[in-house]
Each structure stands twice: as C-alpha cells, then as structure tokens.
Coordinates of all heavy atoms in Angstrom, one line a residue:
E8 N 39.1 -0.4 12.8 CA 39.0 0.7 13.8 C 39.9 0.2 15.0 O 40.3 -0.9 15.0 CB 37.5 0.8 14.4 CG 36.5 1.1 13.4 CD 35.1 1.1 14.0 OE1 34.9 1.5 15.2 OE2 34.2 0.6 13.3
I9 N 40.1 1.2 15.9 CA 40.7 0.9 17.1 C 39.7 0.4 18.1 O 38.4 0.8 17.9 CB 41.5 2.1 17.7 CG1 40.5 3.3 17.9 CG2 42.7 2.4 16.9 CD1 41.1 4.5 18.7
P10 N 39.9 -0.4 19.1 CA 38.9 -0.9 20.0 C 38.3 0.3 20.8 O 39.0 1.3 21.1 CB 39.7 -1.7 21.0 CG 40.9 -2.2 20.2 CD 41.2 -1.0 19.3
A11 N 37.0 0.3 21.0 CA 36.4 1.4 21.7 C 35.0 0.9 22.2 O 34.4 -0.1 21.8 CB 36.2 2.6 20.7
G12 N 34.4 1.7 23.1 CA 33.1 1.5 23.6 C 32.6 2.5 24.5 O 33.4 3.3 25.1
A13 N 31.3 2.5 24.8 CA 30.7 3.5 25.7 C 31.0 3.1 27.2 O 31.2 1.9 27.5 CB 29.2 3.5 25.6
R14 N 31.1 4.1 28.0 CA 31.2 3.9 29.4 C 30.0 3.1 30.0 O 28.9 3.3 29.4 CB 31.4 5.2 30.2 CG 32.6 5.9 29.8 CD 32.9 7.2 30.7 NE 31.8 8.1 30.6 CZ 31.6 9.2 31.3 NH1 32.5 9.4 32.3 NH2 30.6 10.0 31.2
D15 N 30.2 2.3 31.0 CA 29.0 1.6 31.6 C 28.1 2.6 32.3 O 26.9 2.3 32.3 CB 29.5 0.5 32.6 CG 30.0 -0.7 31.9 OD1 29.8 -0.9 30.7 OD2 30.7 -1.5 32.6
H16 N 28.6 3.7 32.8 CA 27.7 4.7 33.5 C 28.5 6.0 33.4 O 29.7 6.0 33.2 CB 27.4 4.3 34.9 CG 28.6 3.9 35.7 ND1 29.5 4.7 36.3 CD2 29.1 2.6 36.0 CE1 30.4 4.0 37.0 NE2 30.3 2.8 36.7
T17 N 27.9 7.1 33.7 CA 28.5 8.4 33.5 C 29.6 8.7 34.5 O 30.5 9.5 34.3 CB 27.4 9.5 33.7 OG1 26.8 9.4 34.9 CG2 26.4 9.5 32.5
A18 N 29.7 8.0 35.6 CA 30.7 8.2 36.6 C 32.0 7.3 36.4 O 33.0 7.4 37.0 CB 30.2 7.9 38.0
E19 N 31.9 6.4 35.4 CA 33.0 5.5 35.1 C 34.2 6.2 34.5 O 34.0 7.0 33.5 CB 32.6 4.3 34.1 CG 33.7 3.4 33.8 CD 33.4 2.3 32.9 OE1 32.6 2.5 31.9 OE2 33.8 1.2 33.1
D20 N 35.4 6.0 35.1 CA 36.6 6.7 34.5 C 36.8 6.1 33.1 O 36.7 4.9 32.9 CB 37.7 6.3 35.5 CG 39.0 7.0 35.1 OD1 39.4 6.9 33.9 OD2 39.6 7.6 36.0
T21 N 37.1 7.0 32.2 CA 37.3 6.5 30.8 C 38.6 5.6 30.7 O 38.6 4.8 29.8 CB 37.5 7.7 29.9 OG1 38.5 8.6 30.3 CG2 36.2 8.5 29.7
K22 N 39.5 5.7 31.6 CA 40.6 4.8 31.5 C 40.2 3.4 31.9 O 40.7 2.4 31.3 CB 41.7 5.3 32.6 CG 43.0 4.5 32.5 CD 44.1 5.2 33.3 CE 45.4 4.6 33.1 NZ 46.5 5.3 33.9
V23 N 39.3 3.3 32.9 CA 38.7 1.9 33.2 C 38.0 1.4 32.0 O 38.0 0.2 31.7 CB 37.8 2.1 34.4 CG1 37.0 0.7 34.7 CG2 38.7 2.5 35.7
C24 N 37.2 2.2 31.4 CA 36.4 1.8 30.2 C 37.4 1.4 29.1 O 37.1 0.4 28.4 CB 35.5 3.0 29.7 SG 34.6 2.7 28.2
A25 N 38.4 2.2 28.8 CA 39.4 1.8 27.8 C 40.0 0.5 28.0 O 40.1 -0.4 27.1 CB 40.4 2.9 27.6
A26 N 40.4 0.2 29.3 CA 41.0 -1.1 29.6 C 40.0 -2.2 29.4 O 40.4 -3.3 28.9 CB 41.5 -1.0 31.1
R27 N 38.8 -2.0 29.8 CA 37.7 -3.0 29.6 C 37.5 -3.4 28.2 O 37.4 -4.5 27.8 CB 36.5 -2.6 30.3 CG 35.3 -3.6 30.2 CD 34.0 -3.2 30.7 NE 33.4 -2.1 29.9 CZ 33.3 -0.9 30.3 NH1 33.7 -0.5 31.5 NH2 32.8 0.1 29.5
E28 N 37.3 -2.3 27.4 CA 37.1 -2.5 25.9 C 38.2 -3.2 25.2 O 38.0 -4.0 24.4 CB 36.7 -1.2 25.3 CG 35.4 -0.6 25.7 CD 34.2 -1.4 25.3 OE1 34.3 -2.1 24.2 OE2 33.2 -1.4 26.1
L29 N 39.5 -2.8 25.6 CA 40.6 -3.5 25.1 C 40.5 -5.0 25.3 O 40.7 -5.8 24.4 CB 41.9 -2.9 25.7 CG 43.2 -3.7 25.3 CD1 43.5 -3.5 23.8 CD2 44.4 -3.1 26.1
E30 N 40.3 -5.4 26.5 CA 40.2 -6.9 26.8 C 39.0 -7.5 26.2 O 39.2 -8.6 25.6 CB 40.3 -7.1 28.3 CG 40.4 -8.6 28.6 CD 40.7 -8.8 30.1 OE1 40.6 -7.9 30.9 OE2 41.0 -10.0 30.4
E31 N 37.9 -6.9 26.3 CA 36.7 -7.5 25.7 C 36.8 -7.7 24.2 O 36.5 -8.7 23.7 CB 35.5 -6.5 25.9 CG 34.9 -6.6 27.3 CD 33.7 -5.7 27.4 OE1 33.2 -5.1 26.4 OE2 33.2 -5.5 28.5
E32 N 37.4 -6.7 23.5 CA 37.4 -6.8 22.0 C 38.6 -7.5 21.5 O 38.6 -8.1 20.4 CB 37.3 -5.4 21.4 CG 36.0 -4.8 21.6 CD 35.8 -3.5 20.9 OE1 36.7 -3.0 20.1 OE2 34.7 -2.8 21.1
T33 N 39.8 -7.4 22.2 CA 41.0 -8.1 21.6 C 41.5 -9.2 22.4 O 42.3 -10.0 21.9 CB 42.1 -7.0 21.6 OG1 42.6 -6.7 22.9 CG2 41.7 -5.7 20.8
G34 N 41.1 -9.4 23.7 CA 41.6 -10.4 24.5 C 43.0 -10.1 25.1 O 43.6 -11.0 25.7
Y35 N 43.4 -8.8 25.1 CA 44.6 -8.4 25.7 C 44.3 -7.4 26.8 O 43.4 -6.6 26.8 CB 45.5 -7.7 24.7 CG 46.2 -8.7 23.8 CD1 45.6 -9.0 22.5 CD2 47.4 -9.3 24.1 CE1 46.2 -9.8 21.7 CE2 48.0 -10.2 23.3 CZ 47.4 -10.4 22.0 OH 48.1 -11.3 21.2
R36 N 45.2 -7.4 27.9 CA 45.2 -6.4 28.9 C 46.5 -5.6 28.7 O 47.5 -6.1 28.1 CB 45.3 -7.1 30.3 CG 43.9 -7.6 30.7 CD 44.0 -8.1 32.2 NE 43.8 -9.5 32.1 CZ 44.5 -10.4 32.7 NH1 45.4 -10.1 33.5 NH2 44.2 -11.7 32.6
S37 N 46.5 -4.4 29.2 CA 47.6 -3.5 29.0 C 48.3 -3.3 30.4 O 47.7 -3.1 31.4 CB 47.1 -2.1 28.6 OG 48.2 -1.2 28.6
G38 N 49.7 -3.5 30.3 CA 50.5 -3.2 31.5 C 50.7 -1.7 31.7 O 51.1 -1.3 32.7
R39 N 50.5 -0.9 30.6 CA 50.6 0.5 30.7 C 49.6 1.1 29.8 O 49.6 0.9 28.6 CB 52.0 0.9 30.2 CG 52.2 2.4 30.3 CD 53.8 2.7 30.2 NE 53.9 4.2 30.4 CZ 54.7 4.9 29.6 NH1 55.3 4.3 28.6 NH2 54.8 6.2 29.8
L40 N 48.8 2.0 30.3 CA 47.7 2.6 29.6 C 47.8 4.1 29.8 O 47.7 4.6 30.9 CB 46.3 2.2 30.1 CG 45.1 2.4 29.3 CD1 45.2 1.8 27.9 CD2 43.9 1.8 30.0

C-alpha cells in the first residue's frame, strides 16, 4: 500500500495528516507535498 492513516481529529488538515503518516510509516519527510 501507499502510506496512509486517519486524521487525529476532524479539524486536522489532511495535508498535515499526510505529512505525519509519511514520516511515521516511512521515516521520510517531504520537501514538497
């Protein structure tokens, strides 16, 4: 699969969630999302 996960809360921006899940699951941060 591609890295993914649920938002921490309903007001969390999905871009923030995507960046967090990327780092949590792969150990990488993105310079451009």
Side-chain angles (χ1 to χ4, degrees):
E8 301 176 41
I9 58 174
R14 296 186 301 171
D15 283 346
H16 50 82
T17 58
E19 182 180 38
D20 187 308
T21 56
K22 189 172 187 178
V23 171
C24 178
R27 181 187 66 250
E28 291 296 328
L29 173 66
E30 187 169 7
E31 282 181 7
E32 293 186 5
T33 71
Y35 285 93
R36 282 187 245 133
S37 174
R39 183 168 182 226
L40 199 58

